[in-house]
Amino acid sequence: MDLLMSRYREQFEELGRTQQRLREISVTVTAPRKSVAVTVGHGGFVSEVRFPTAAYKRMTPAELSSAITKAIADAQRQVASESAALVAPTLPAGFDAEQIFMGEGDFQSMLSNSPLTSDLTRDAFNSRG
């Protein structure tokens, strides 16, 4: 049991550190011609939209809308990719972390139907022998 509790505490602390790193992820994407710059944080939330030059003034509304939408989507993909890279080492083998952050992951596939099949649980019960 001491081994289980020790491993649990380590995992709990690591999870806290990972969660903090996830909160700190921020990506800025600048559209071509520097018409718009978009900053997106963890979870894909847009935190800032800037117009670094006057290029947007020469664009049609449809062009500007397209540039903003594309910059947001590109930044969101980059945030998802960075988040996945951070979390991937903690996931079971073969599980695609990027799918989680793109909203396509199957969380139940990460767990076994029975907690007794977990390597950690099996190891703990076998060490009692």
Side-chain angles (χ1 to χ4, degrees), residues 53-105:
T53 68
Y56 72 94
K57 292 180 181 180
R58 295 182 295 280
M59 300 172 80
T60 67
E63 289 172 323
L64 182 57
S65 174
S66 177
I68 293 169
T69 302
K70 183 175 181 335
I72 290 171
D74 289 348
Q76 287 172 330
R77 275 191 294 280
Q78 286 182 32
V79 165
S81 183
E82 285 186 32
S83 299
L86 185 64
V87 172
T90 66
L91 297 177
F95 194 81
D96 187 349
E98 202 151 333
Q99 284 184 334
I100 290 174
F101 292 99
M102 294 303 290
E104 302 164 358

Side-chain angles (χ1 to χ4, degrees), residues 40-56:
V40 171
H42 175 63
F45 295 101
V46 177
S47 61
E48 184 178 31
V49 176
R50 291 181 297 107
F51 301 94
T53 68
Y56 72 94

Side-chain angles (χ1 to χ4, degrees), residues 9-26:
R9 277 190 230 97
E10 288 172 14
Q11 290 175 341
F12 186 81
E13 289 171 9
E14 182 58 31
L15 184 60
R17 288 188 293 273
T18 299
Q19 194 169 11
Q20 180 59 38
R21 284 186 231 124
L22 284 171
R23 279 190 222 108
E24 294 169 355
I25 291 175
S26 178

